[in-house]
Amino acid sequence: MKPPRPHVRATALDIRHDAAQACFDCTVDGLRCVIDYRLIDSVMHIAHTEVPPALEGRGIAAALVRFALAHARAHGLKVNALCSYVRVYMQRHADTHDLRA
């Protein structure tokens, strides 16, 4: 039986924006977590959020979404949440409703 992995606080993540690859990502325990998007005009179409199963439940996906939405807000972009996780996140957080495309 493997020993439990230490809990990584989502606030301690080193999330980066890779504009060339149109994604936001971070690495936790050697595993890549990512949000992919397409930018069309002034709308960020967020297509996919992925956190490996071994890292689920740590708040990593939510931290990635917050980072991506903060980026959109700072750059005057609207968001089209094609990804179901992002769509539900935005539904649950009224402070993001103004970002909806």
Side-chain angles (χ1 to χ4, degrees):
M1 186 165 148
K2 292 183 183 179
R5 293 183 182 192
H7 185 74
V8 174
R9 289 184 33 192
T11 56
L13 297 174
D14 183 20
I15 300 172
R16 68 183 192 101
H17 176 220
D18 184 341
Q21 295 297 314
C23 69
F24 299 91
D25 68 350
C26 64
T27 302
V28 177
D29 295 343
L31 300 172
R32 184 171 184 251
C33 306
V34 65
I35 285 182
D36 295 312
Y37 70 90
R38 287 174 316 200
L39 187 60
I40 302 172
D41 297 321
S42 293
V43 178
M44 180 186 295
H45 300 269
I46 299 178
H48 182 68
T49 301
E50 182 175 349
V51 173
L55 301 176
E56 290 176 356
R58 298 187 186 188
I60 297 168
L64 284 166
V65 172
R66 281 191 303 274
F67 191 92
L69 297 179
H71 173 85
R73 185 176 306 286
H75 291 87
L77 304 173
K78 293 295 185 181
V79 175
N80 178 15
L82 302 171
C83 168
S84 61
Y85 183 88
V86 176
R87 190 169 40 255
V88 169
Y89 181 97
M90 292 181 76
Q91 287 171 354
R92 291 181 179 168
H93 295 87
D95 60 318
T96 67
H97 293 178
D98 63 310
L99 293 173
R100 292 179 180 165

